[in-house]
Amino acid sequence: MAVPSWLERLRAAGKTALVQDGKRKIHYLFEDGKEMAEEYDMKTGQLISRKWREKNTLGGTGKWQVEVGEPTSPFLGALESELITESSSNPIFMRKDTLSSFQWRIRNLPYPKEVYSVSVEEEQRCCVIRTTNKKYYKKFSIPDLDRYHLPLDAAALSFTHANNTLIITYQKPKEILAAEQQLQKELKKIKAANSGDGDCKTQ
C-alpha cells in the first residue's frame, strides 16, 4: 500500500512550527532540499495555504510555488503582485480546500453554468475545464492524489457557478481523509513558537 510513503516523507522531514494570527504555520524541509510551507486554521484545522520551493539550477533558492491558497501571497514580490492586479479582469485560478474536499475557484468567468463542462482524464491524471463558447480551457492535476498514488474518480467531481466564479469540487477519498487526520494529530505535537518569540521551534 502506497499511502504510508508520503506520510513517512512528512514524518522524516525537518519541521518548524509557528502560531500567528490564529493560524498554525508549518515549514517542512525534505531530504532532497525541497521545502513546503503550510498554514492551518487553528480552530477548524482546515488547510489555508500550501506552497513549495526548491533549489534552482545554480543551487540558489527558487521562488515559492503556490499549490493551495491565494495566488497573491506574501511570498510573491511586489512586481508579481502588481502584474496580478493589472490583469484582474482575466480569469484567476486558485485552489481553496475544505476539510472534506479539494476545491478550485476560477474568478472572472461571467458565462452561465451550462457553458461549462468539467471532466476527468484518467490516463493523463488530470481534470479538464471546457466551455462550449471556446472562451476558457484549463487542465489541472490534483497533486495530493499523485502523492498517495490514488486514481481519479469522475464521480467525486462536481461544479457550480455563482458571482462570475466557477467552483469545482472533488470529494477527498477516504484514504486521504484518514491520512490528513493522522497528520493533524502529529502536527499538534510539535511545540510551536508564538509570533514574536523569536525562532520557530524545530522537530
Side-chain angles (χ1 to χ4, degrees):
M1 189 174 175
V3 171
S5 62
W6 174 240
L7 270 179
E8 288 305 322
R9 280 199 69 196
L10 292 176
R11 286 173 180 143
K15 292 182 281 294
T16 57
L18 175 71
V19 172
Q20 187 179 39
D21 302 327
K23 300 172 187 173
R24 179 183 293 273
K25 303 180 179 184
I26 310 288
H27 178 273
Y28 303 79
L29 180 60
F30 297 97
E31 285 183 4
D32 58 7
K34 285 185 180 178
E35 298 172 75
M36 182 173 78
E38 293 184 326
E39 290 186 6
Y40 291 91
D41 185 292
M42 289 285 288
K43 290 181 181 176
T44 64
Q46 187 167 310
L47 178 68
I48 299 169
S49 72
R50 178 186 293 138
K51 305 171 185 73
W52 287 89
R53 183 166 69 176
E54 56 186 306
K55 302 287 185 187
N56 58 32
T57 50
L58 299 174
T61 305
K63 293 180 180 179
W64 286 100
Q65 302 294 322
V66 178
E67 180 181 314
V68 179
E70 289 281 350
T72 50
S73 87
F75 291 106
L76 290 178
L79 177 62
E80 287 143 303
S81 296
E82 283 175 23
L83 289 171
I84 288 171
T85 304
E86 285 174 12
S87 61
S88 59
S89 62
N90 293 333
I92 298 172
F93 180 88
M94 63 170 285
R95 178 172 151 186
K96 190 173 183 180
D97 291 355
T98 69
L99 290 174
S100 61
S101 65
F102 305 122
Q103 197 171 87
W104 298 264
R105 293 168 182 256
I106 304 99
R107 300 177 189 147
N108 300 328
L109 286 180
Y111 322 113
K113 183 182 177 182
E114 55 268 20
V115 166
Y116 308 97
S117 69
V118 183
S119 59
V120 163
E121 300 284 345
E122 291 184 21
E123 287 187 9
Q124 297 181 41
R125 291 193 59 78
C126 67
C127 301
V128 181
I129 306 166
R130 294 180 175 88
T131 55
T132 55
N133 61 9
K134 312 290 187 189
K135 296 287 188 182
Y136 187 79
Y137 177 86
K138 177 81 176 177
K139 272 187 183 182
F140 63 95
S141 62
I142 307 178
D144 307 71
L145 296 183
D146 293 337
R147 287 193 281 265
Y148 285 102
H149 303 283
L150 294 170
L152 274 77
D153 179 8
L157 192 66
S158 62
F159 72 95
T160 188
H161 185 269
N163 302 319
N164 288 342
T165 301
L166 185 68
I167 302 169
I168 299 163
T169 301
Y170 188 101
Q171 295 299 322
K172 293 178 181 177
K174 62 182 185 299
E175 293 91 340
I176 285 183
L177 289 171
E180 288 182 344
Q181 207 168 19
Q182 180 63 36
L183 180 62
Q184 281 302 308
K185 289 179 184 175
E186 296 185 21
L187 293 179
K188 285 175 183 174
K189 294 176 186 174
I190 304 173
K191 183 171 172 54
N194 288 312
S195 177
D197 287 354
D199 295 335
C200 297
K201 300 296 188 290
T202 305
Q203 176 177 295

